[in-house]
Amino acid sequence: MSGSANVGVHVDHESKEDPALLAEFQRKIDAGELIEVDDWMPAAYRKGMLMMAEHHANSEIVGALPEGEWITRAPSLRRKLALTAKVQDEVGHGQMLYRVSQDLGKSRDAMLRDLITGKTKYHNCFNYPAPQWADIAMIQWLIDGAAIMNQKTLADGAYGPYVRTMRRINMEEAFHFKSGEDMVLTLMSGTKRQRDMAQEAFDRWWGPSLMFFGPPDKPNARQLPPMRWRMKTVTNDDLRQRFVDRFIPAALDLGLKIHVVTKDEHGFVTSKKPDDKIALNKDTGHWEFTSPDWDEFFRVIRGNGPCNAKRLALRRLSYEQGRWVRQAILNGSGSLPPAA
Amino acid sequence: MSKLREKVDLVTGDLESPPEEDLKGYVIFTQLKMGQPHLYAGYLDAADDDMALIFAREHYGQDQECVGIWAVPVEAVSGTDAAHPASHDIGGVEMYQVFIQARRGAGHVSAETVQARSPAEAIEDAQRIHTDPSKYYSLWVVPQHLIASTGPGDVIWRYSDQSYRLARGYSKEVREKWTKFRDEGSLNEYEKDDLKEAF
């Protein structure tokens, strides 16, 4: 899932690199060539790609936490198998992306430690709760749907190892999205109680889905290094527009209502009103919508979202409790688990 | 979720566990049919060959039907690319597995084996076989005894029904369910953005 690794990637564009090498690097990128790990690259590019791949890897493994909570409570054996497989996929994506990051110069252990001590970030949307089964359905439909839109464009990027990983990840995302659609369609074809449950989950996830692509772009986004170096290929706002053009009409046809909501500190909706901006603009051919609450976005990024502490606490517990396992693996079978 | 996991308090400050060494990097190759070459699948980290093969079977062996897996420690790879410099140190004669990368950015594919006294010599031998440099982008060689491999009779791919973990296991049903809500035109437009599984 995840993606939107652009959040928080700030590349220092003060370049002190050799102009000839830099020109050749830019030429390769403009010619559509892939940059490989052993190619010369500007220090700022290496740093930016590392931040991007690391953020993406972090998001994959933290993203598995809200979904993992629901494996034991899945409503049927098939759903349980599918959710287990999806969570396994996400953790696998994390493994692949940590590998890409390691090759850019940071150890995996350092990345895991930075994640759980809050030095690095993961995707904001995983700081929201998934209190109902319908949330799992909406995550797989909306958030994985958003991730696919983003990752399809990231697979057109310039950094070879990341691009190849993205292509592989996208193939697995196809299943995540289809099973998500199936769950949403099942709920919306069901009883009033099921439809209400889906609507409530949709109300919780619509905002985070819009925020998924990151904050509004700076006017010169296309000239800044992340796009000039094809670390990303489409602006946040363009991706968001593609997303709403696909999902607004689909949601409306399903009978879902799109609301502007306010939430409490636990991420639960406290009030809602119809988003009266929702309309197809016949002139542009694009759907219009109310922008999400960007104050909330930045508040959550700074660590003050509904589930930030909960996600990190669980990651930290796993890391500390898993120490003897890692030691046993590294040192042979001599190490025993700590007494309970 | 267990109540216990719900109630984990966030501990702040330094971690109790000391920093650790990373595990070893491995390159994984999968063989889709008997007698066919092994194809680059991806990388993973593992403590040793056994763990690498276990991870590889779960991670790369379940994407598509496959009959064999090779796990190659990254440090055992020598190549014509700058990332894997080849040692010239002469040792005993041994067999090297050659891997060919057809074009820049493509995955390596296993080719023939050569006998040589050093990785650099093995690369020279491989280059004598692959004389046309326009036909490939880079070459790798790996001492054959360092390749961890699944056994010939090992069952890697699970032949039980796995449609629950494939998009095509849902496509038809999903399309049928959609038709209750949407006309064919808007459904076709919507499905244009679907990703296809194409391993």
Side-chain angles (χ1 to χ4, degrees), chain B residues 24-96:
Chain B
K24 266 162 68 172
Y26 280 84
V27 198
I28 306 303
F29 297 88
T30 54
Q31 186 186 30
L32 304 186
K33 287 201 173 120
M34 291 306 269
Q36 287 189 353
H38 284 69
L39 314 173
Y40 166 88
Y43 288 87
L44 56 76
D45 279 33
D48 56 27
D49 293 0
D50 289 342
M51 187 175 165
L53 282 176
I54 291 169
F55 275 2
R57 292 168 78 113
E58 284 304 315
H59 189 79
Y60 295 108
Q62 303 305 321
D63 288 340
Q64 56 192 332
E65 196 170 330
C66 86
V67 295
I69 292 179
W70 283 351
V72 178
V74 174
E75 63 198 22
V77 177
S78 306
T80 54
D81 52 334
H84 305 92
S87 161
H88 287 78
D89 293 348
I90 301 287
V93 173
E94 61 179 320
M95 291 291 259
Y96 284 83

Side-chain angles (χ1 to χ4, degrees), chain A residues 34 39 69 99 102 108-109 113 141 164 168 172 175 178 181-182 186 246 253 316 320 326, chain B residues 1 11 13-14 16-17 20 22 45 47 59 63 104-105 163-164 177-178 182 190 193-195:
Chain A
L34 292 179
D39 290 339
E69 288 174 9
R99 185 70 234 170
Q102 280 165 280
R108 178 176 300 214
D109 188 53
R113 296 173 76 87
W141 188 46
R164 285 189 289 278
R168 196 166 188 99
E172 294 186 336
F175 140 54
K178 273 290 153 198
E181 262 185 294
D182 189 37
T186 303
R246 185 181 194 202
D253 285 352
R316 187 171 175 127
E320 300 279 35
R326 296 189 298 274
Chain B
M1 186 165 93
V11 182
D14 291 341
E16 282 176 33
S17 310
E20 290 161 18
D22 277 355
D45 279 33
H59 189 79
D63 288 340
R104 196 178 148 87
S163 60
Y164 64 85
K177 286 179 183 167
W178 267 122
R182 311 192 81 181
Y190 166 86
D193 281 319
D194 273 359
L195 280 170

Side-chain angles (χ1 to χ4, degrees), chain A residues 196-211:
Chain A
D196 289 348
M197 196 196 278
Q199 179 66 56
E200 284 166 19
F202 185 83
D203 291 335
R204 279 190 287 276
W205 287 97
W206 181 247
S209 305
L210 295 177
M211 293 177 195

Side-chain angles (χ1 to χ4, degrees), chain B residues 179-193:
Chain B
T179 54
K180 281 194 268 170
F181 297 97
R182 311 192 81 181
D183 62 70
E184 201 164 339
S186 52
L187 196 46
N188 289 342
E189 186 61 30
Y190 166 86
E191 286 190 345
K192 267 192 204 162
D193 281 319

Side-chain angles (χ1 to χ4, degrees), chain B residues 6 28 50 56 92 104-105 128 154 158 165 195:
Chain B
E6 275 283 356
I28 306 303
D50 289 342
R104 196 178 148 87
R128 269 195 286 277
D154 284 7
R158 296 187 196 104
R165 58 187 297 267
L195 280 170

